[in-house]
Amino acid sequence: MILNQDEIELEQRDCYGKLKTITLSWSRLSDWFVCKQRVKLYHTGGRSSTVNTRNFLCGKVVDLVMRETLDNASRDSSGRIQSIDRDDMMGRLPDVWERCLVPEKGRLLQWNGKDVKADQKKILNQAKAATSSLHPILVDKVVGRRVIPEFRPATMPAFGVPLPDGGVGYIRLFLGIDLLIQEEEDGDRLGEWGIWDLKATAYDSYIPKTLWQLVFYDLAYQALTGKYAKTHGLITPLLDKKIHSIVVDDEHRDQMASWIVQYCHSVWAGEEDFVSPDKEKEACFGCPTRNACPKIVPPLTKDEQGLTWARFDTKRPGLMKR
């Protein structure tokens, strides 16, 4: 644990041509598993200026409803939640929905199909079903306990990484927990807490891909507080199995720490491998760096008149104007 996170000097190294520190999120680490070229383009500003967030709209709405419900729930003098009113929770959904239909800067909502209203209704109905199913889960998990919805520290925790040339350098791990629940009081001021993440997915196949996110958060939480979380799990209100709990042990933590070190060394070494061909179709579709990726965007060249052209096939004569 680092007591004063603000005073930690972060490691500055060359990251694809720019002297930078590293702040690593779980989503960025996930990208690195798939395609190192994508990570390079993130670091060099190759990400699209606008991102379609339509597929995340349901989750955003349900998460915000949960957050505002818990923030306004009745609590006793010790801060424990006393009750969660179902009507209050469901009643927040229309206003949250309208607010979420206004995209944030750098975001857009690109609807599926030609019937925008039908697509919106489909997502809204999913959000209603998820919110309705979430209420009894929250009653069971948080009533009588202290909770912190949307836990994000003002300064992200510093994490020590062995450097390629010896010594230890510090990066930051991005920590954003949907629901932090106090499981026990053990005599100190912190107590024992559980890390819970809300996933408004309708697909069981999505769950195995995200369980390692809990291990990443566990390491970040320990770097911030000096203690590992007591419990870890996903809340999935749209699935038949509503709670996915896992036991995080030292083997899991060692594996995650190893991946974090490998990521840093990869970025510092300038690795830029493309996604493997067998995963290309899934990975490249909708990739936020697609418009800057040299695998997709042809390289540019200039002719003797100074005009810029795109070379689509170097084996065939002729250039196609871009």
Side-chain angles (χ1 to χ4, degrees):
M1 177 183 66
I2 298 167
L3 296 177
N4 195 332
Q5 298 284 340
D6 291 314
E7 294 181 359
I8 295 300
E9 183 178 352
L10 302 180
E11 184 71 18
Q12 277 199 333
R13 294 211 167 202
D14 182 273
C15 299
Y16 301 108
K18 294 183 179 180
L19 191 65
K20 297 173 64 177
T21 60
I22 289 178
T23 297
L24 179 60
S25 65
W26 164 248
S27 60
R28 184 63 54 83
L29 184 60
S30 300
D31 286 330
W32 177 78
F33 289 135
V34 175
C35 181
K36 295 180 177 61
Q37 179 68 214
R38 183 187 298 178
V39 171
K40 175 190 175 181
L41 292 171
Y42 275 133
H43 278 277
T44 56
R47 180 172 181 165
S48 174
S49 58
T50 56
V51 177
N52 180 21
T53 58
R54 183 262 180 203
N55 290 342
F56 308 106
L57 180 58
C58 178
K60 179 181 179 181
V61 170
V62 179
D63 180 70
L64 192 53
V65 168
M66 179 183 73
R67 192 189 320 169
E68 294 185 1
T69 298
L70 294 176
D71 282 341
N72 292 277
S74 60
R75 298 178 184 243
D76 63 19
S77 58
S78 66
R80 295 176 176 83
I81 288 187
Q82 294 180 302
S83 65
I84 300 174
D85 186 86
R86 180 183 178 82
D87 291 338
D88 172 72
M89 186 170 177
M90 296 301 297
R92 295 180 183 276
L93 201 150
D95 177 65
V96 170
W97 171 258
E98 291 299 325
R99 279 185 277 146
C100 289
L101 287 181
V102 181
E104 301 171 1
K105 184 178 180 181
R107 304 287 188 268
L108 60 85
L109 290 169
Q110 188 173 347
W111 305 104
N112 288 350
K114 296 181 180 180
D115 193 336
V116 172
K117 293 296 183 181
D119 194 35
Q120 291 178 346
K121 184 178 180 180
K122 175 184 176 182
I123 298 174
L124 177 57
N125 286 338
Q126 288 179 333
K128 288 179 179 178
T131 303
S132 178
S133 180
L134 178 61
H135 176 264
I137 299 173
L138 291 181
V139 171
D140 179 63
K141 296 296 293 182
V142 307
V143 170
R145 295 177 175 177
R146 298 184 181 95
V147 300
I148 305 175
E150 193 62 18
F151 176 73
R152 295 194 182 194
T155 302
M156 293 297 164
F159 186 82
V161 174
L163 298 175
D165 46 6
V168 175
Y170 287 95
I171 66 168
R172 293 204 185 279
L173 300 181
F174 182 84
L175 182 60
I177 301 171
D178 288 343
L179 196 57
L180 201 59
I181 304 175
Q182 189 176 43
E183 304 286 358
E184 294 179 7
E185 296 181 71
D186 59 2
D188 65 10
R189 297 180 60 186
L190 180 63
E192 302 287 348
W193 292 73
I195 293 174
W196 293 87
D197 207 62
L198 175 64
K199 301 295 183 185
T201 180
Y203 302 100
D204 289 287
S205 59
Y206 178 75
I207 301 305
K209 302 176 183 179
T210 59
L211 289 175
W212 278 104
Q213 179 181 3
L214 298 171
V215 184
F216 181 92
Y217 283 166
D218 187 68
L219 285 187
Y221 180 79
Q222 193 277 337
L224 181 73
T225 67
K227 300 176 70 173
Y228 293 114
K230 183 176 180 63
T231 59
H232 313 76
L234 302 178
I235 299 173
T236 54
L238 288 178
L239 299 181
D240 292 336
K241 185 177 180 181
K242 309 298 183 185
I243 298 293
H244 297 260
S245 299
I246 64 169
V247 176
V248 177
D249 58 25
D250 288 342
E251 185 177 350
H252 296 128
R253 294 174 181 124
D254 289 345
Q255 179 62 75
M256 181 57 65
S258 174
W259 285 333
I260 292 171
V261 173
Q262 289 175 52
Y263 172 92
C264 294
H265 288 197
S266 172
V267 169
W268 291 331
E271 293 181 0
E272 50 187 54
D273 299 344
F274 289 101
V275 60
S276 59
D278 60 310
K279 298 179 180 178
E280 189 174 289
K281 183 177 180 180
E282 179 184 0
C284 295
F285 179 78
C287 175
T289 64
R290 182 182 179 88
N291 291 339
C293 180
K295 194 179 187 72
I296 297 172
V297 179
L300 300 179
T301 187
K302 287 188 177 182
D303 63 15
E304 63 276 3
Q305 295 179 338
L307 296 177
T308 300
W309 302 74
R311 186 185 300 273
F312 285 89
D313 191 342
T314 56
K315 295 182 180 180
R316 292 183 293 176
L319 298 173
M320 297 185 68
K321 191 171 183 179
R322 189 177 186 186

